[in-house]
Amino acid sequence: MAEIEARQPEIAYAGATCRFFQSRPRLRETYIQQAYVKLIERAQSEVLIANAYFVPTPSIKLALLDAAKRCVAVRLISNSPQTNDLPEISLVGRGHYKDLLAGERVARCCDVQER
């Protein structure tokens, strides 16, 4: 174990672009939602969302469905209701999974990729 801890990691720094958004719902700001939708609409191969409190708005849900129709791989990483401090939010978000996982879109994309 000490040998592993003593290893120096290989670090390769690369430039990155980063932008921070805030949304204040009480002021009816939707900057974060707008950013999600724009990024999902521009995705060409993959959308990866990591969010413990994922509950898609209608526009985000539509953008994800459109991405799936374009055969963009859509992945969501979230935690379980058992590990969430607001388990009801996890359950509300999961209420959208059936629509987001509609079989015909997935099957069509699998057929296209196999060719």
Side-chain angles (χ1 to χ4, degrees):
M1 183 66 130
E3 183 181 314
I4 293 172
E5 290 176 355
R7 285 189 206 160
Q8 292 297 315
E10 291 183 27
I11 300 174
Y13 294 101
T17 301
C18 179
R19 187 175 291 173
F20 294 91
F21 296 94
Q22 73 172 15
S23 287
R24 296 174 291 182
R26 69 181 182 282
L27 300 178
R28 299 185 187 268
E29 293 177 349
T30 60
Y31 304 124
I32 294 172
Q33 177 182 327
Q34 291 174 45
Y36 261 98
V37 170
K38 282 185 179 185
L39 290 167
I40 294 166
E41 288 174 346
R42 293 179 183 169
Q44 296 178 10
S45 60
E46 180 182 35
V47 172
L48 175 61
I49 298 173
N51 187 325
Y53 305 101
F54 180 75
V55 179
T57 63
S59 62
I60 290 174
K61 190 172 178 178
L62 181 61
L64 289 170
L65 292 169
D66 287 344
K69 286 178 186 175
R70 297 190 317 270
C71 296
V72 171
V74 177
R75 292 180 172 83
L76 170 65
I77 300 171
S78 190
N79 57 336
S80 69
Q82 294 81 7
T83 61
N84 196 321
D85 63 334
L86 297 170
E88 59 277 4
I89 296 296
S90 294
L91 298 173
V92 170
R94 287 180 180 200
H96 295 276
Y97 286 11
K98 184 176 180 181
D99 293 339
L100 292 171
L101 294 170
E104 93 182 46
R105 280 186 294 278
V106 173
R108 185 177 64 80
C109 291
C110 289
D111 290 343
V112 168
Q113 291 172 354
E114 288 176 5
R115 291 183 196 159

